[in-house]
Amino acid sequence: MKNYKLYLIDLDGTIYNGEKKIRYAKEFVEYLNEKNIDYLFLTNNSTKEPKDVAEHLKKFAIYTSEEHVFTSSDATKIYLESKGYKNLYVIGEAGVKNTLSLFCQKDTEEDVEAVVVGLDRELTYEKLAIATKAILNGAELIGTNPDTLLPTAHGFAPSNGGQVKYLEYATSTLATIIGKPSNIIMESAIKLFNYRKDEIVMVGDNYDTDIMSGINSGIDTIHVQTGVTSFEELKEKEKKPTYSIENLYQLIK
């Protein structure tokens, strides 16, 4: 396996499973820190800010800084700035709302240029109605991530994908998706560094999000057999990752 200068790393299923530690995740991050190898935790979760993610990792004895975390909310902010939007209607929790605090976040559909949809566990019909009106008035529909399910301590719960699909169906409008496997989050993360694509690798457990995001972006991929997609399931896929490994210990050299 070749040496890479930048590791883009998934979290849930790769570094931890819900509230459970994944073996060798701690040692892998320590290895990257000791060798001064650049890495970025790439997460579709829009409900937390990078500082919250770094704090959460301490539960697994993994010590890093918020500079090593890049969320779908961060990528959404970069996308909105590139479009020149100022007035938003935001469905979501503190993570996305705080990240987008420099924009004007409206309470009604008036003058809204973009509707941003992140997971909102206090979602109401009124919020969906305002978002629908804004989109029908011409606002761009933007989903922070397309995830269908959210792993919790008590099993799976609905994630942001259902909220986005509701608004797509209601407005007959296709959403711009920011998070994995979209190229938007990948290109935004890659542009933070000055590496060639052949010096970068995406590490993750989920074929449909992590591995496909790397394949779609033209970088190498490492599938880790510790989460969603098993090695047996991987055999059925037409497009294969560059490598598939049993656990992260195989990346410690």
Side-chain angles (χ1 to χ4, degrees):
M1 190 180 299
K2 65 186 282 189
N3 293 318
Y4 296 94
K5 294 184 177 179
L6 171 63
Y7 288 79
L8 302 177
I9 309 167
D10 174 55
L11 286 170
D12 209 332
T14 302
I15 299 298
Y16 52 75
N17 270 322
E19 296 300 317
K20 296 179 181 178
K21 293 181 180 180
I22 288 182
R23 195 178 183 192
Y24 300 123
K26 171 179 176 288
E27 289 80 1
F28 176 54
V29 177
E30 287 176 346
Y31 163 77
L32 295 175
N33 286 329
E34 289 169 3
K35 297 294 184 179
N36 291 316
I37 299 171
D38 280 327
Y39 66 94
L40 197 63
F41 290 115
L42 210 59
T43 175
N44 272 3
N45 189 339
S46 68
T47 65
K48 298 183 185 299
E49 295 177 76
K51 62 180 180 180
D52 303 319
V53 175
E55 186 65 28
H56 179 68
L57 286 170
K58 290 181 182 178
K59 293 182 180 180
F60 308 102
I62 294 172
Y63 298 94
T64 189
S65 64
E66 60 185 275
E67 288 77 20
H68 288 288
V69 180
F70 192 72
T71 72
S72 60
S73 296
D74 292 321
T76 300
K77 178 182 177 182
I78 292 171
Y79 176 79
L80 292 167
E81 289 173 338
S82 74
K83 300 286 282 191
Y85 293 141
K86 294 182 174 62
N87 299 324
L88 313 176
Y89 183 71
V90 181
I91 290 176
E93 300 182 10
V96 65
K97 290 189 173 182
N98 290 342
T99 301
L100 303 181
S101 61
L102 293 180
F103 296 88
C104 177
Q105 298 183 32
K106 312 280 284 188
D107 295 323
T108 70
E109 68 274 15
E110 296 296 325
D111 301 320
V112 170
E113 298 165 287
V115 172
V116 176
V117 184
L119 178 62
D120 189 339
R121 284 167 285 198
E122 295 184 357
L123 184 66
T124 65
Y125 182 79
E126 181 182 6
K127 292 178 182 179
L128 291 168
I130 293 172
T132 296
K133 292 173 186 174
I135 296 162
L136 291 175
N137 287 342
E140 182 176 2
L141 171 58
I142 299 169
T144 59
N145 61 295
D147 301 51
T148 56
L149 294 173
L150 177 72
T152 73
H154 307 289
F156 288 103
S159 191
N160 190 46
Q163 299 178 170
V164 175
K165 287 296 182 185
Y166 180 104
L167 291 170
E168 284 187 327
Y169 187 79
T171 63
S172 298
T173 301
L174 191 64
T176 298
I177 300 298
I178 303 296
K180 298 176 292 184
S182 169
N183 278 347
I184 295 176
I185 190 171
M186 297 300 291
E187 293 301 322
S188 297
I190 289 169
K191 285 178 182 176
L192 297 174
F193 301 86
N194 293 314
Y195 295 121
R196 301 189 312 269
K197 285 195 173 183
D198 63 354
E199 298 174 317
I200 305 170
V201 68
M202 177 70 210
V203 183
D205 69 294
N206 189 319
Y207 179 87
D208 293 328
T209 55
D210 306 320
I211 302 307
M212 283 309 302
S213 66
I215 291 172
N216 291 340
S217 299
I219 63 173
D220 283 356
T221 54
I222 300 174
H223 168 253
V224 189
Q225 302 160 24
T226 52
V228 172
T229 306
S230 69
F231 184 65
E232 291 303 314
E233 290 172 321
L234 202 63
K235 293 178 181 177
E236 305 300 318
K237 303 297 184 181
E238 181 181 349
K239 296 180 178 180
K240 299 291 196 295
T242 313
Y243 309 99
S244 181
I245 59 176
E246 186 177 347
N247 55 56
L248 292 170
Y249 184 75
Q250 293 173 253
L251 298 182
I252 301 173
K253 301 169 183 177

